[in-house]
């Protein structure tokens, strides 16, 4: 019987829950926020992209800056900066200031996640990385099930600013948990020079998985960011149903991350080979059936599971392939995922002329990922499904 995972993993997941709630909650707040600040819904979607840009830039930058610090102090510092950024966002009446606060919060989130990924996997044996990551990323999926719909409901009744205040409050127990439960040591982040860690990026296998992760996450974020207009538009449902849709997507994502944790260490290739085509078919089905509420809600549950199963598996594969970069492996994974999160909403915003455009975009991005996996796999002379 396998040994239980260390308690500090769950404390890190609590912080990831707070940050995941913030990252995803705008999907249910965009219409209200856009009206309040006098911008279009498409422009308000730039808040998601600004957050993701900060994550892309901040992941390697913050990981390098935190390289000489203890795991506990680095993680705690990032959480406190994240808290302060949300207080500033809740107080401002300027869209530009809110945009800047999202970028600062993203830098803190990037540093935290990059450090947490390497800290989490250093706490467990080498063959349990995917399971440890499933616990950590479980914080994100619980955020989509509980935090994001809760934020949408809170925003609907008390305004979008209340949701920002709620995230700031969530950071307090997360900070206390890190302070009391996470070891002060760096958890194996030393041992290689920065030049050696950056040189890992020349490895074709690592580059391949980074590209796949970016494309899959672009599809997820492109569709998820503009989910509210689809629910209240083609589906003909009221605003309260946005929270239901978010809960279903989040419940599916939790199931997907759990599956990735159980299968990702030993069966990554098989999971990706089966899940990829199913994910493509699901986005196409959503584009066709978006005007049928029952089908829309059922497919959101399925797509949440498939998106996060593939995403979680690809994160684990990045950390395996980047084992020669103990301090920056988590940063590489974070940057790849958020490169997709930058591109996805920006591309989806251009497709809003057709309400189901974000779903069609998701299908196209997943198709591109499958084609890239097949071509790059054949060039290496190995099976395309192997990562």
């Amino acid at each position: 019987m396998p040994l239980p995972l260390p308690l500090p993993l769950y404390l890190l997941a609590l912080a990831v829950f707070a940050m995941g709630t913030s990252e995803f909650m705008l999907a249910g707040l965009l219409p209200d926020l856009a009206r309040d600040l006098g911008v279009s819904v498409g422009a308000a979607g730039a808040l998601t992209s600004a957050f993701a840009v900060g994550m892309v830039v901040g992941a390697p930058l913050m990981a390098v800056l935190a390289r000489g610090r203890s795991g506990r102090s680095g993680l705690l510092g990032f959480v406190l900066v994240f808290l302060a950024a949300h207080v500033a966002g809740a107080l401002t009446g300027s869209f530009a200031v809110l945009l800047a606060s999202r970028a600062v919060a993203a830098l803190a989130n990037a540093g935290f996640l990059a450090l947490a990924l390497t800290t989490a996997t250093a706490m467990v044996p080498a063959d349990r990385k995917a399971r440890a990551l499933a616990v950590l990323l479980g914080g994100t999926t619980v955020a989509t099930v509980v935090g994001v719909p809760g934020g949408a409901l809170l925003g609907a009744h008390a305004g979008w600013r209340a949701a920002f205040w709620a995230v700031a409050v969530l950071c307090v127990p997360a900070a206390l948990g890190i302070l009391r439960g996470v070891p002060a040591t760096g958890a194996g982040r030393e041992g290689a020079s920065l030049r050696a860690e950056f040189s890992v990026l020349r490895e074709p296998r690592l580059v391949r998985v980074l590209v796949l992760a970016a494309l899959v996450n672009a599809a997820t974020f492109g569709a998820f960011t503009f989910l509210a207009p689809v629910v209240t538009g083609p589906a003909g449902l009221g605003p309260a149903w946005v929270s239901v849709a978010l809960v279903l997507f989040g419940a599916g994502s939790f199931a997907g991350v759990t599956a990735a944790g159980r299968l990702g260490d030993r069966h990554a290739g098989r999971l990706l080979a089966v899940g990829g085509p199913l994910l493509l078919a699901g986005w196409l089905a959503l584009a066709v059936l978006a005007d049928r509420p029952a089908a829309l809600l059922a497919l959101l549950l399925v797509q949440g599971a498939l998106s996060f199963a593939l995403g979680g598996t690809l994160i684990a594969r990045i950390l395996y392939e980047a084992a020669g970069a103990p301090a920056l492996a988590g940063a590489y994974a974070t940057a790849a995922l958020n490169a997709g999160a930058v591109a996805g909403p920006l591309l989806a915003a251009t497709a809003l002329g057709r309400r189901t455009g974000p779903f069609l975009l998701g299908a196209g991005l997943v198709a591109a990922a499958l084609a890239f996996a097949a071509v790059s796999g054949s060039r290496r002379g190995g099976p395309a499904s192997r990562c």
Side-chain angles (χ1 to χ4, degrees):
M1 183 176 180
L3 295 174
L5 295 173
L7 176 62
L9 281 176
Y10 298 92
L11 299 175
L12 294 176
L14 174 62
V16 172
F17 168 75
M19 294 181 177
T21 296
S22 173
E23 185 173 7
F24 288 106
M25 71 181 181
L26 289 184
L29 301 176
L30 280 183
D32 181 43
L33 186 151
R35 284 192 301 270
D36 186 35
L37 297 180
V39 298
S40 68
V41 172
L47 292 169
T48 300
S49 296
F51 196 95
V53 167
M55 293 283 284
V56 174
V57 175
L61 176 62
M62 296 297 106
V64 170
L65 292 177
R67 192 167 180 264
R69 300 175 63 86
S70 71
R72 181 197 296 163
S73 65
L75 292 166
L76 180 61
F78 289 134
V79 169
L80 294 178
V81 171
F82 190 82
L83 187 159
H86 280 75
V87 171
L91 291 173
T92 188
S94 165
F95 181 75
V97 173
L98 180 60
L99 194 66
S101 74
R102 293 300 286 171
V104 172
L107 289 173
N109 191 357
F112 180 89
L113 187 57
L115 185 52
L117 286 170
T118 52
T119 300
T121 53
M123 291 179 181
V124 299
D127 61 350
R128 302 191 75 193
K129 285 185 179 183
R131 193 173 290 268
L133 291 175
V135 171
L136 189 66
L137 298 177
T140 298
T141 60
V142 172
T144 62
V145 176
V146 179
V148 174
L153 287 173
L154 184 61
H157 290 88
W160 64 268
R161 298 176 192 276
F164 276 70
W165 282 114
V167 171
V169 171
L170 280 174
C171 290
V172 175
L176 293 175
I178 291 168
L179 185 62
R180 296 179 62 87
V182 175
T185 60
R189 292 182 295 118
E190 303 293 342
S193 69
L194 280 177
R195 176 176 294 183
E197 296 212 23
F198 280 118
S199 70
V200 172
L201 286 173
R202 294 198 295 265
E203 295 294 332
R205 290 175 64 88
L206 174 60
V207 172
R208 179 173 183 259
V209 185
L210 290 172
V211 171
L212 292 175
L215 288 170
V216 169
N217 210 42
T220 302
F221 263 76
F224 187 83
T225 298
F226 297 104
L227 182 58
V230 176
V231 172
T232 58
L237 298 172
W241 282 93
V242 173
S243 296
V244 176
L246 293 172
V247 167
L248 288 171
F249 189 90
S253 69
F254 183 80
V257 164
T258 301
R262 295 185 178 278
L263 302 174
D265 285 314
R266 297 184 179 180
H267 305 290
R270 187 175 303 172
L271 195 155
L272 294 171
V274 173
L278 290 177
L279 184 63
L280 169 60
W283 289 130
L284 289 172
L286 272 171
V288 172
L289 302 174
D291 59 345
R292 302 181 185 182
L296 172 71
L297 296 175
L299 283 168
L300 286 175
L301 176 70
V302 174
Q303 289 303 93
L306 291 170
S307 295
F308 278 76
L310 267 64
T313 301
L314 289 168
I315 290 175
R317 296 315 308 170
I318 290 170
L319 294 178
Y320 275 116
E321 299 296 344
L328 296 181
Y332 296 155
T334 302
L337 292 176
N338 285 280
V342 171
L346 289 176
L347 293 171
T350 67
L352 285 176
R354 178 175 181 176
R355 289 294 183 92
T356 59
F359 296 152
L360 291 172
L361 173 71
L365 290 169
V366 174
L370 294 175
F372 176 76
V375 171
S376 60
S378 63
R379 285 178 179 175
R380 289 195 344 264
S385 63
R386 184 182 175 188
C387 284

